């Protein structure tokens, strides 16, 4: 019943955020009805609009419930409120969408199966019992199936499936949790699973049970899921995992593992509360968690790693497979080494025919391929290493977290194309940074094509056309060449500046901050290969105030793979030209001819560019300790060195930080000399690894503190791939805080190159409002 006329008020709410396709309108409908309010709710080009009319007390309770009792997938980023004249309307209703050609609503990421659907999936009395495409407004595919907005069924890959009468009734009922659930379907009217041989002939029988039987028998099956295909096999039999590696051409890189439930995960990993929360969230990422000493998995799943990458079932097909009694499964992206994610059916059979014994596939098209996200947790935060399914393309509302980034209109859209490794792209417009999903290594032709396609589809989905393109300064990066080919103004952003800018953007930090940017490689403004930098950053400007002492990257690109090369270069720098006779047997496995060529190149500087790469220092110590003589995948040597350190603590080796005309230079030469002697003296690999980590952490913290004193900055931002190393990250943060400094790190985008596009976009946004920033930012 409505309140008396004199007490009736009407209020309008304009909401932005994740409010479409997540059950938000029926939630508002039920809320308004429960409080006896009249009015309407509708989707619009921004998000949603609500008008409610009734007594002031009821309206106040409604407003509180609106933000405190949201549906699981809903997320409000802003609410604009205003009072309007009461209309005397009766009843509350859900109005038709109000499209706006100039605005686009937030697109919801794909979401893991909810508990309600999971119960129905396993209920023999339910009409969706064992149906592999069960979903509702609280879960299921979103981003992977959407072609355009508004998010209505005709604009998704579910358009070809006409709902049966029972499904249509659910879809039209505001009181049902499948009200306007666009992927809504059942076994009568929806997509279907099929199990096929590599020649595409059908394997008879129940597809799920037959797949489970094959997996249990040690076979390898390609499984089509939400965002693409996985290659699956038993994770507890070494010979099976080894065979998958052989077929996938993936030697040492860790493989993700899917387990039936959180209890199974706890049997193989030591999980923190934050790990459990991440694994059981709607994003359901792969979580890096410490291995238990006694676990049941094959050693070849994650060799020379301290962690397993473990995830829970997130699609109905996964739950159905585990319901057949399967144990832990390797569930790795179904692409051959270096290739992009396989998601199209014909491509899967063409490419994976020699890798899979069978294909569990279905007839729902994947429009936007998206890989599994990979995260670790730190201080209770979920920190992305690969930001993809479950997170992308959720925007980062930068105008809501401070004044660090100017609010630009849609006409001022910036496209940032990231780097060539761990590629992502970002669209920045009207205070929102839309960071797309992980794409991979652009040196592969198919990945580059995916990169170009992803940009066009992201622009189309959000209705944005960039006026400015930001890219890495490296002249040979394919992403940079693409940016320059677009025919619109282009801004080059120095690699490590972009890393630090990504942290500043996340935290809404104006600066000045001291940036510690530590990684394997990044093109410097002096033409050298930077990789351990101390930057003073403020808004879109940076000054390089310190660095790791340069050494020669002898052999060029070969030195990023052959770990003996940076080891030899650093020892040569520390010991002098007669270094080889002072290193014991460390280099006995290197061909004499290769060492001869190395020496000539080191002496002449030919094919031996200068570098300040911290990543190569990790490679060098990993080689000297016998842990890794070749990086078969990125950071393999560094990962092995982190694993070797275990949980021990120890004093550091000697290092040096010197000031030269206001510029700080860090040197690890003293540490390398001591490590060389420690190895020759028989010191354990574990102790050397522990002391090395402590050395680097203290050197970085000391340098950042000194740079802060010199530049009057009390905040330090940490970014770059080296900070994927949780031991290093934790120790540096602790040391900085012990000195009274504020330490910031990436929490929403990866600290590695997957976060570059956000940093580039932030710098370019400042460029648009302030003009050329100088110092590594330039318009071309």
């Amino acid at each position: 019943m409505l309140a008396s006329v004199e007490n009736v008020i009407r209020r309008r709410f304009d909401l932005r955020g994740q409010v479409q396709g997540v059950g938000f309108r029926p939630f508002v409908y039920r809320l308004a009805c429960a409080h006896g309010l009249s009015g309407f709710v509708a989707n619009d080009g921004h998000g949603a609009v609500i008008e409610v009319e009734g007594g002031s007390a009821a309206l106040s309770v409604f407003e509180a419930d609106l933000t405190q009792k949201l549906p699981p997938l809903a997320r409000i980023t802003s609410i604009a409120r205003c009072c309007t004249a009461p209309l005397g309307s009766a009843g509350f209703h859900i109005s038709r969408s109000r499209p706006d050609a100039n605005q686009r609503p937030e697109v919801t990421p794909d979401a893991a199966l909810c508990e309600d659907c999971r119960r129905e999936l396993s209920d023999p009395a339910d009409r969706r019992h064992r149906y592999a495409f069960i979903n509702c407004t609280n879960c299921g595919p979103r981003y992977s199936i959407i072609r355009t907005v508004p998010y209505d069924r005709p604009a998704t890959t579910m358009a070809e499936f006409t709902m049966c009468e029972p499904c249509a009734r659910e879809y039209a009922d505001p009181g049902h949790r499948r009200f306007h659930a666009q992927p809504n379907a059942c076994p009568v009217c929806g997509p279907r699973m099929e199990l096929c041989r590599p020649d595409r002939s059908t394997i008879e029988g129940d597809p799920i049970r037959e797949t489970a039987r094959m997996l249990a028998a040690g076979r390898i099956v390609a499984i089509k899921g939400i965002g693409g295909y996985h290659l699956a096999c038993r994770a507890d039999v070494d010979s099976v995992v080894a065979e998958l590696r052989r077929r996938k051409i993936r030697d040492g890189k860790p493989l993700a593992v899917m387990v039936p439930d959180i209890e199974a995960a706890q049997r193989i990993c030591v999980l923190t509360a934050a790990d459990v929360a991440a694994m059981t969230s709607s994003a359901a990422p792969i979580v890096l968690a410490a291995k238990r000493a006694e676990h049941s998995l094959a050693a070849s799943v994650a060799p020379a790693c301290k962690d397993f990458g473990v995830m829970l079932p997130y699609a109905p097909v996964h739950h159905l497979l585990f319901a057949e009694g399967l144990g832990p499964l390797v569930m790795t992206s179904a692409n051959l080494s270096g290739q992009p994610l396989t998601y199209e059916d014909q491509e899967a059979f063409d490419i994976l025919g020699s890798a899979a014994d069978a294909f569990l596939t279905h007839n729902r098209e994947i429009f936007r391929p998206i890989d599994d996200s990979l995260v670790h947790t730190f201080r209770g935060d979920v920190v992305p290493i690969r930001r993809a399914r479950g997170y992308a393309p959720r925007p980062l509302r930068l105008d809501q977290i401070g004044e660090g980034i100017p609010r630009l209109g849609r006409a001022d859209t910036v496209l940032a194309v990231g780097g060539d490794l761990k590629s992502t792209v970002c669209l920045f417009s009207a205070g929102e940074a839309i960071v797309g999903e992980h794409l991979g290594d652009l040196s592969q032709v198919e990945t580059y094509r995916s990169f170009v396609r992803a940009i066009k589809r992201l622009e189309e989905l959000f209705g944005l056309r960039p006026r400015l393109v930001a890219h890495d300064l490296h002249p040979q990066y394919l992403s940079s060449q693409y940016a320059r080919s677009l025919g619109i103004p282009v801004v080059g952003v120095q690699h490590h500046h972009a890393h630090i800018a990504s942290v500043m953007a996340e935290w809404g930090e104006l600066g000045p901050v001291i940036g510690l940017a530590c990684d394997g490689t990044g093109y410097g403004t002096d033409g050298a290969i930077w990789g351990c930098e101390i930057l003073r950053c403020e808004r879109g400007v940076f000054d390089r105030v310190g660095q790791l002492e340069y050494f020669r990257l002898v052999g060029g690109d070969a030195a990023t793979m052959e770990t003996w090369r940076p080891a030899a270069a650093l020892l040569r720098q520390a010991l002098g030209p007669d270094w080889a006779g002072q290193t014991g047997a460390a280099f006995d496995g290197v061909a004499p001819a290769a060492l001869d060529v190395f020496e000539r190149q080191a002496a002449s500087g030919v094919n031996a560019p200068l570098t300040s790469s911290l990543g190569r220092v990790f490679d060098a110590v990993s080689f000297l300790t016998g842990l890794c003589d070749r990086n078969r995948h990125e950071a393999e040597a560094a990962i092995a060195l982190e694993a070797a350190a275990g949980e021990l603590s120890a004093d550091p080796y000697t290092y040096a930080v010197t000031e030269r005309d206001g510029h700080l230079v860090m040197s690890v030469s003293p540490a390398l000399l001591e490590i060389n002697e420690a190895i020759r003296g028989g010191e354990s690999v574990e102790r050397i690894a522990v002391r090395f980590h402590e050395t680097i952490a203290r050197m970085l913290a000391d340098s950042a503190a000194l740079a802060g004193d010199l530049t009057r900055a009390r905040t330090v931002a940490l970014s770059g791939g080296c900070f994927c190393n949780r031991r290093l990250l934790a120790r540096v943060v602790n040391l900085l805080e012990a000195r009274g400094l504020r330490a910031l790190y990436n929490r929403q985008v990866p600290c590695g190159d997957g976060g570059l596009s956000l940093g580039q976009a932030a710098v370019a946004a400042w460029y648009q409002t302030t003009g050329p920033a100088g110092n590594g930012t330039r318009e071309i």
Side-chain angles (χ1 to χ4, degrees), residues 113-153:
L113 192 69
C114 70
E115 284 303 311
D116 288 331
C117 285
R118 187 175 177 183
R119 280 193 293 270
E120 292 172 348
L121 185 70
S122 59
D123 182 0
D126 193 276
R127 70 189 189 93
R128 292 186 176 87
H129 177 231
R130 297 188 74 246
Y131 182 54
F133 303 91
I134 189 171
N135 68 88
C136 69
T137 54
N138 296 328
C139 67
R142 296 291 192 279
Y143 181 59
S144 60
I145 64 170
I146 189 172
R147 297 182 187 276
T148 187
V149 292
Y151 177 64
D152 293 322
R153 194 178 182 101

Side-chain angles (χ1 to χ4, degrees), residues 359-631:
F359 290 75
L360 182 60
T361 186
H362 59 73
N363 59 340
R364 183 179 68 200
E365 180 188 356
I366 297 169
F367 186 70
R368 299 176 191 274
I370 188 162
D371 214 334
D372 295 318
S373 290
L374 176 65
V375 307
H376 65 77
T377 61
F378 179 69
R379 292 189 166 187
D381 289 324
V382 175
V383 179
I385 297 171
R386 180 174 68 211
R387 186 177 183 269
R389 178 188 52 75
Y391 298 100
R394 181 180 298 143
L396 281 64
R397 292 300 304 275
L398 304 186
D399 63 341
Q400 294 266 313
I401 56 175
E403 299 179 354
I405 301 297
R407 184 183 177 95
L408 304 176
R410 291 171 64 82
D412 302 308
T413 298
V414 173
L415 166 66
V417 296
D420 275 16
L421 296 175
K422 294 181 171 61
S423 170
T424 64
V425 299
C426 176
L427 289 171
F428 183 86
S429 177
E432 287 189 341
I434 303 162
V435 181
E437 65 274 16
H438 167 87
L439 297 169
D441 179 358
L442 299 191
S443 67
Q444 301 293 325
V445 173
E446 290 304 319
T447 308
Y448 179 78
R449 290 173 180 164
S450 296
F451 159 80
V452 174
R453 182 170 59 243
I455 291 173
K456 295 184 183 304
R457 287 183 171 181
L458 208 61
E459 291 175 356
E460 291 169 358
L461 182 62
F462 289 93
L464 297 172
R465 292 293 178 268
R467 297 289 186 89
L468 182 69
V469 186
H471 66 86
D472 193 274
L473 284 183
H474 197 302
Q476 296 179 354
Y477 270 9
L478 294 172
S479 53
S480 301
Q481 293 173 19
Y482 172 82
R484 291 193 293 267
S485 75
L486 295 177
I488 58 178
V490 176
V491 171
V493 180
Q494 199 281 322
H495 188 95
H496 299 92
H497 184 202
H499 274 311
I500 302 306
S502 73
V503 180
M504 295 174 69
E506 285 191 32
W507 290 79
E509 179 63 51
L510 283 168
V513 305
I514 295 300
L516 286 178
C518 303
D519 60 7
T521 182
Y523 189 79
T525 55
D526 59 358
I529 300 171
W530 292 6
C532 185
E533 311 306 315
I534 309 172
L535 311 178
R536 182 192 183 277
C537 301
E538 188 168 6
R539 299 178 186 263
V541 180
F542 84 92
D543 290 307
R544 190 191 194 200
V545 297
Q547 65 178 91
L548 184 70
E549 183 179 27
Y550 279 141
F551 61 95
R552 292 284 178 185
L553 194 66
V554 183
D557 288 345
T560 66
M561 294 179 289
E562 298 173 3
T563 57
W564 69 266
R565 291 179 177 275
L570 285 162
L571 286 173
R572 186 181 191 277
Q573 182 160 291
L575 292 167
D578 297 329
W579 65 275
Q582 304 175 58
T583 57
F587 294 87
D588 284 359
V590 181
L595 287 170
D596 288 343
V597 172
F598 169 90
E599 189 59 36
R600 289 197 299 272
Q601 290 180 333
S604 66
V606 174
N607 196 27
L610 293 173
T611 186
S612 55
S613 169
L614 185 60
R616 301 291 79 79
V617 177
F618 272 82
D619 287 352
V621 177
S622 191
F623 171 81
L624 293 173
T625 51
L627 290 169
C628 182
D629 61 5
R630 184 178 181 84
N631 278 316

